[in-house]
Amino acid sequence: MLALDVVYQHNDNTRVSGSLPSAGAAGLSDFRTDSGSGYALGLAPAIEYNWNSRVGLLVGVRMFVAGRNATASVTPAVALNMVY
């Protein structure tokens, strides 16, 4: 059997602020940064084979194909399902 999972993930902005020791001088300096929001769209096509109602094997790949503040990646996936 053919299978396809579609994944969408959204991450909000992360804001960090604080104080750091100043380089080469006494005292503290302010530090502020924002990560920005991000999203990722992934696809996971696979083939599943069931020997019977209790044992099956799934072989596929997970691909993150689009996004903002996200890294494209391809991850193989293998799953052996056994129900007792």
Side-chain angles (χ1 to χ4, degrees):
M1 171 175 287
L2 298 177
L4 175 65
D5 291 345
V6 178
V7 178
Y8 175 79
Q9 177 181 342
H10 180 269
N11 299 315
D12 288 330
N13 178 47
T14 300
R15 179 172 293 149
V16 177
S17 63
S19 300
L20 294 172
S22 297
L28 298 174
S29 62
D30 289 335
F31 174 80
R32 292 187 184 133
T33 187
D34 290 302
S35 68
S37 63
Y39 71 89
L41 175 63
L43 302 173
I47 297 173
E48 182 176 353
Y49 181 78
N50 294 301
W51 283 278
N52 55 45
S53 64
R54 295 178 175 251
V55 180
L57 179 69
L58 182 130
V59 177
V61 64
R62 183 185 69 172
M63 303 174 289
F64 280 102
V65 295
R68 177 173 180 254
N69 287 339
T71 303
S73 67
V74 177
T75 306
V78 176
L80 178 62
N81 300 309
M82 300 188 318
V83 180
Y84 294 97

